[in-house]
Amino acid sequence: MMADKGLSSAELADRADLARSALTQFFGGERKPSADALVKLANVLDSSTDYLLGRRDSTDVAALLQNDKIMELISLFSELSVADQERVLEMIRLMKGTAGASQE
């Protein structure tokens, strides 16, 4: 992920306002980052703390963003008012709840 951002470990430590030695210890498994350090790293890397902890694979999101229909939905949805976004979400929830019943 650092390579994707073009960062060396020293640059990452500097941007995250962490000691370089601490970052080396994190990467070496000698020390676990504090919650504060984890948030700082996630912000610099434009990632989530869940991803950094191995709980979520960023490729899931990247794959979704490659789907033209999903991108169109995101674009159209973002142009709606907050009230209309809520209505759309409710319709989708209703459709999802009845989708299984209509296929039986």
Side-chain angles (χ1 to χ4, degrees):
M1 180 168 282
M2 286 184 337
D4 295 341
K5 298 287 182 187
L7 296 173
S8 68
S9 59
E11 290 170 320
L12 177 60
D14 291 344
R15 289 188 187 182
D17 193 28
L18 298 170
R20 292 178 183 181
S21 60
L23 197 61
T24 301
Q25 291 173 337
F26 298 158
F27 289 148
E30 301 163 33
R31 178 176 162 193
K32 294 187 183 205
S34 67
D36 183 54
L38 197 59
V39 169
K40 287 178 179 182
L41 290 169
N43 286 336
V44 171
L45 295 170
D46 194 29
S47 181
S48 70
T49 54
D50 276 348
Y51 177 75
L52 294 179
L53 292 169
R55 292 183 181 167
R56 179 143 187 115
D57 187 355
S58 68
T59 58
D60 294 343
V61 175
L64 286 174
L65 295 177
Q66 296 301 313
N67 183 309
D68 291 337
K69 289 181 182 178
I70 290 176
M71 290 307 298
E72 182 181 6
L73 282 170
I74 291 170
S75 176
L76 293 170
F77 187 82
S78 67
E79 294 172 10
L80 297 174
S81 68
V82 172
D84 285 342
Q85 288 177 355
E86 289 299 325
R87 283 193 280 271
V88 168
L89 287 173
E90 186 56 32
M91 284 189 283
I92 291 171
R93 288 181 190 115
L94 287 169
M95 290 174 73
K96 186 177 183 280
T98 60
S102 65
Q103 293 175 356
E104 292 176 1

